[in-house]
Amino acid sequence: MSVDSQQCDPTRIACFLEGELPLDALTELQRHLDSCTSCQTQLDDSTATVAMWQSAAESLHDESIDMESISTVLTRGEADELAKHVTDDGVRRVVELLAPTDDPQMLGRIGSYEIAGVTGSGGNGIVLKAHDPALNRYVAIKVLAPHLASSGAARQRFAREAQAAAAVVHENVIAIHGVAESQGMPYLVMPYERGQSLQRRIDDNGPLGLIEILRIGLQMASGLAAAHSQGPSSQRIFFWPTESNA
Amino acid sequence: MLVHEPPETRESLLIQLRDAGNRESWFEFAAIYRPMVYRMARRRGLQDADAQDLAQRVLLSVAGSISEWKSDSERGRFRSWLARVARNAIIDTFRREKPDAAQGGSTIMQQLTQEPVPADDELEHEHRREVFRWAAKQVRWEFEDSTWIAFWLTTVKGKATSEVAEELGKSVGSIYTAKSRVMKRLQEKVQEHS
């Protein structure tokens, strides 16, 4: 241990707080702080007021250490989609990444598609409602969630999922118009269907009746059978309950 | 038959918030106020789903007012405007939840009648706590796990530095610098919001 590290040096603490202390000096400071109670106190006091330290302790006391608990509580069973979408950080990040648009009614652009809004968000992706100006129709664009877009494995899975779904032609398996990438966001283009998810429907209306369960179950099974016989295997299935025969 | 709400209703808010700064303020606002109202409702005895519903109603009420905001104001005003609208929305929502004694009502309502409508000092206190939680979430991933854990165990859990140092196999001095770095950043984030 060097003589230096035994000496109290207020400027060294100030430098540390400014983030300007070189690594070797930091090691010296830490060694000094091992035993110098007056510098320990000085560091605490220079970092924040006693009231600030207390506020932090009091405010965070009931949280879990990784700060995940409350968000889990709050996203579970969220009934209203509006507030969910506008509070969802994944949605925010996707919206920030949209290219600018000239159309004041639109949020932005992905490729040549004009984005009109957000229609859903789930664990691995966000679904946008978009207008395809070339064919003058609305489409749904599923964007890989931003927190997954940096993962090679997630991107591969997303691409496989799209290929698997694109290979299947069946009325209960949603068609895939295309797959592309914009601003580092992989996305796939599907027909825009107005309707609600099965989850939403059960949340809103309670348990389904027997006839409904059988009808939807039949559609799922028939879509799965088509996927199994026509396409490569996929862990995820795009499924859309049709209402025509409801 | 299914009844679909027109997708346009929920898109309109995002359209109104085309200004990136305002959008940022809104997301920040929602991230802080929703759990804040949720906690206040839970403390008044509401179940999880009812508390979520109440928090949702507050956010929707504020969102519904956004069209009244005039965008020609100077920068930074949107956030303070949101805070003002939110205060009124919270008080209104809690008050509306409180039934007249003559109406009787559900258990939820009875529980709510036992607690008064939130006063300004409660709102202020809760807001400050929620800002800390929000800030902690924001800065959490800027730090190595070991740095964060050192901060958490000493500052939040109140453990002795020497004990934490031993537990983590680190020197006492490095625990001091770790918690100081986190606290400094946390404080910056909190002040950035205030």
Side-chain angles (χ1 to χ4, degrees):
Chain A
M1 199 177 289
S2 72
V3 178
D4 242 0
S5 74
Q6 296 306 321
Q7 284 172 356
C8 298
D9 181 358
T11 56
R12 186 166 56 178
I13 287 177
C15 272
F16 164 72
L17 286 170
E18 290 304 311
E20 286 163 2
L21 206 60
L23 191 60
D24 53 342
L26 174 67
T27 314
E28 287 288 299
L29 172 63
Q30 286 173 336
R31 235 180 261 158
H32 180 70
L33 284 167
D34 278 340
S35 53
C36 178
T37 51
S38 97
C39 281
Q40 290 170 357
T41 311
Q42 207 218 318
L43 177 60
D44 282 356
D45 292 348
S46 314
T47 304
T49 62
V50 174
M52 192 54 114
W53 285 101
Q54 280 171 352
S55 279
E58 191 234 357
S59 304
L60 301 175
H61 195 264
D62 298 331
E63 297 296 302
S64 75
I65 189 164
D66 56 4
M67 302 301 302
E68 295 294 345
S69 64
I70 191 68
S71 63
T72 317
V73 169
L74 290 174
T75 50
R76 181 161 41 83
E78 279 181 315
D80 190 282
E81 292 189 19
L82 166 64
K84 181 176 169 212
H85 291 148
V86 298
T87 54
D88 186 319
D89 191 54
V91 173
R92 178 180 69 82
R93 287 162 67 186
V94 166
V95 171
E96 300 299 326
L97 280 170
L98 298 178
T101 173
D102 295 330
D103 184 340
Q105 291 307 305
M106 295 291 172
L107 280 177
R109 260 185 320 106
I110 287 186
S112 63
Y113 299 99
E114 295 279 354
I115 307 303
V118 180
T119 62
S121 72
N124 70 339
I126 286 149
V127 182
L128 305 165
K129 178 186 176 184
H131 186 251
D132 177 356
L135 296 171
N136 190 26
R137 64 176 177 183
Y138 278 102
V139 293
I141 291 188
K142 183 174 179 180
V143 181
L144 184 61
H147 70 279
L148 295 174
S150 55
S151 146
R155 295 175 81 101
Q156 276 174 19
R157 206 163 49 235
F158 190 77
R160 270 208 309 275
E161 187 184 312
Q163 283 163 8
V168 180
V169 182
H170 189 271
E171 61 169 342
N172 296 125
V173 178
I174 199 157
I176 303 292
H177 292 331
V179 186
E181 189 174 317
S182 164
Q183 317 257 27
M185 295 187 287
Y187 66 91
L188 54 95
V189 185
M190 303 174 286
Y192 179 74
E193 306 272 8
R194 286 172 74 104
Q196 58 187 171
S197 69
L198 192 55
Q199 182 67 58
R200 177 83 199 272
R201 186 167 166 191
I202 292 169
D203 288 346
D204 286 356
N205 304 331
L208 300 168
L210 179 61
I211 301 292
E212 276 302 272
I213 293 171
L214 291 175
R215 185 178 69 78
I216 294 174
L218 192 65
Q219 290 177 7
M220 284 167 110
S222 115
L224 274 173
H228 194 71
S229 63
Q230 297 173 25
S233 71
S234 166
Q235 292 152 323
R236 291 183 56 82
I237 302 298
F238 289 87
F239 167 72
W240 200 271
T242 52
E243 290 167 49
S244 51
N245 48 354
Chain B
M1 214 54 234
L2 306 179
V3 180
H4 306 307
E5 62 174 303
E8 287 70 25
T9 56
R10 54 175 185 257
E11 286 152 14
S12 60
L13 178 64
L14 285 168
I15 300 282
Q16 281 167 23
L17 292 172
R18 280 170 55 88
D19 176 86
N22 286 352
R23 199 152 58 207
E24 190 68 31
S25 296
W26 166 262
F27 284 116
E28 215 174 275
F29 165 82
I32 291 168
Y33 275 77
R34 182 212 286 271
M36 170 181 153
V37 176
Y38 171 85
R39 280 174 211 271
M40 288 168 54
R42 283 303 294 258
R43 218 174 18 255
R44 283 166 168 75
L46 266 67
Q47 297 299 306
D48 173 72
D50 297 317
Q52 286 192 33
D53 182 52
L54 193 138
Q56 200 85 290
R57 265 182 285 152
V58 169
L59 283 193
L60 285 173
S61 156
V62 177
S65 306
I66 281 181
S67 57
E68 292 161 24
W69 184 72
K70 298 283 173 286
S71 61
D72 52 18
S73 329
E74 70 270 26
R75 208 166 165 259
R77 268 200 55 191
F78 182 61
R79 186 190 275 173
S80 46
W81 179 87
L82 277 177
R84 266 202 317 281
V85 175
R87 175 194 170 275
N88 295 332
I90 291 169
I91 291 173
D92 278 1
T93 309
F94 276 94
R95 184 179 291 140
R96 208 165 301 145
E97 204 69 17
K98 201 174 118 172
D100 293 336
Q103 286 181 332
S106 65
T107 332
I108 298 158
M109 285 175 161
Q110 280 161 6
Q111 278 160 344
L112 270 172
T113 52
Q114 288 162 11
E115 291 283 341
V117 164
D120 279 344
D121 57 348
E122 184 189 354
L123 288 173
E124 215 168 282
H125 181 70
E126 285 303 318
H127 182 252
R128 184 166 173 77
R129 293 183 59 168
E130 209 56 61
V131 169
F132 262 99
R133 296 190 187 104
W134 168 83
K137 255 192 223 172
Q138 301 295 305
V139 303
R140 164 65 184 93
W141 306 110
E142 297 173 16
F143 296 98
E144 297 281 343
D145 285 350
S146 60
T147 308
W148 185 262
I149 292 168
F151 160 76
W152 198 267
L153 294 181
T154 52
T155 306
V156 181
K157 292 295 167 196
K159 282 196 180 186
T161 313
S162 54
E163 198 186 325
V164 174
E166 198 176 328
E167 205 174 303
L168 300 178
K170 304 248 176 191
S171 71
V172 168
S174 70
I175 301 295
Y176 270 98
T177 52
K179 72 170 182 169
S180 165
R181 282 178 51 220
V182 173
M183 187 63 202
K184 182 164 181 289
R185 186 71 188 103
L186 185 62
Q187 180 172 233
E188 278 169 7
K189 201 75 193 174
V190 166
Q191 283 164 353
E192 199 179 289
H193 182 83
S194 318

